[in-house]
Amino acid sequence: MQMVPFGEGCRSNCFIDIVGSMKKTGRITSKHVVPNGTRYAPTEPETVWDLEVRSPSNKGSAGLFTKEAIPKGAVIGHAGGVVLSSVADIPKELRYAVLIAKNRYLAPLDYDHLESFCYFNHSCESNTARIGGLIFVAKRAILVGEELTLDYAPLIAGVPEWSMSCGCHSLGCRKVITSEDWRAPKIAAQLWEEWLAFIQKQIMELGNVKC
């Protein structure tokens, strides 16, 4: 799997690259680790579903697949890791994280042992939603053997000048995904539940979603 640095085009998948400088153990040593970061996110991810990371038959990048049927609305699990306040001191080749709140990023605890949720690929017609920055929920029934996918737009909304080319080949493929997608009324409404709270507030201020 090849993850994607902020500010560069995405080639395939998961949580946008942002992890702090690592020692040989793969543990984060960034000076921007937030004290008591568990106030924002747990250290360890969790799922009760039987999931596996493997390469799909139609492309080379690894993805996250389910080995059992997941009903619509089911909580698939929650993310975990280390909370950072900035990515300023992070080398691009060691970046794996996502925004979970304004100026708060969630990065893997150990770069050498990435959690399974780091292998979500993007789809413009995703079957999984990330709610509140941490919780993954099935947007529809997901069949045995099906790949779990996320729409990356809510993961990187608020990151300056971030974009990627999309090749998900879905009927609704937007071709380009950007950190400004929330400004488009149709996308704002379509992904409303998935935007972080500070982005939802900005969407409402623009009048793109009304109470």
Side-chain angles (χ1 to χ4, degrees), residues 10 37 46-47 66 78 85 102 113 116 143 157 171 179 193 195:
C10 177
E46 183 178 28
T47 183
T66 179
H78 67 71
S85 61
K102 190 173 184 178
H113 301 90
S116 60
L143 304 178
L171 292 177
S179 56
E193 294 85 359
W195 303 111

Side-chain angles (χ1 to χ4, degrees), residues 150-164:
L150 287 172
D151 193 309
Y152 282 4
L155 307 187
I156 48 80
V159 177
E161 300 181 356
W162 192 96
S163 67
M164 73 175 199

Side-chain angles (χ1 to χ4, degrees), residues 42-49 51 75-81 115-117 120 134-136:
T43 302
E44 299 291 338
E46 183 178 28
T47 183
V48 298
W49 299 93
L51 309 177
V75 175
I76 297 171
H78 67 71
E115 51 144 314
S116 60
F117 291 139
F120 271 111
L134 296 172
I135 308 299
F136 301 108

Side-chain angles (χ1 to χ4, degrees), residues 2-167:
Q2 190 71 41
M3 297 194 184
V4 184
F6 278 105
E8 296 184 6
C10 177
R11 291 177 293 281
S12 60
N13 43 18
C14 169
F15 288 8
I16 301 68
D17 286 345
I18 304 185
V19 165
S21 303
M22 305 288 184
K23 297 180 180 179
K24 290 183 179 179
T25 60
R27 296 279 172 167
I28 292 178
T29 59
S30 170
K31 67 180 180 181
H32 297 295
V33 172
V34 175
N36 300 316
T38 51
R39 292 176 300 168
Y40 298 95
T43 302
E44 299 291 338
E46 183 178 28
T47 183
V48 298
W49 299 93
D50 191 2
L51 309 177
E52 65 175 347
V53 175
R54 61 179 172 84
S55 295
S57 58
N58 63 339
K59 54 187 175 181
S61 300
L64 184 60
F65 293 78
T66 179
K67 298 172 71 175
E68 56 185 324
I70 301 176
K72 179 180 178 180
V75 175
I76 297 171
H78 67 71
V82 177
V83 179
L84 307 175
S85 61
S86 172
V87 297
D89 65 346
I90 298 170
K92 288 183 178 180
E93 67 274 14
L94 291 178
R95 296 179 177 183
Y96 293 83
V98 286
L99 278 171
I100 57 170
K102 190 173 184 178
N103 300 321
R104 291 292 181 266
Y105 306 87
L106 186 66
L109 183 65
D110 190 335
Y111 178 84
D112 294 332
H113 301 90
L114 294 175
E115 51 144 314
S116 60
F117 291 139
C118 282
Y119 290 87
F120 271 111
N121 279 309
H122 167 83
S123 173
C124 294
E125 295 183 354
S126 58
N127 55 25
T128 306
R130 188 192 67 163
I131 306 298
L134 296 172
I135 308 299
F136 301 108
V137 177
K139 296 167 72 170
R140 59 167 175 77
I142 304 175
L143 304 178
V144 176
E146 190 173 354
E147 183 178 5
L148 304 182
T149 57
L150 287 172
D151 193 309
Y152 282 4
L155 307 187
I156 48 80
V159 177
E161 300 181 356
W162 192 96
S163 67
M164 73 175 199
S165 298
C166 179

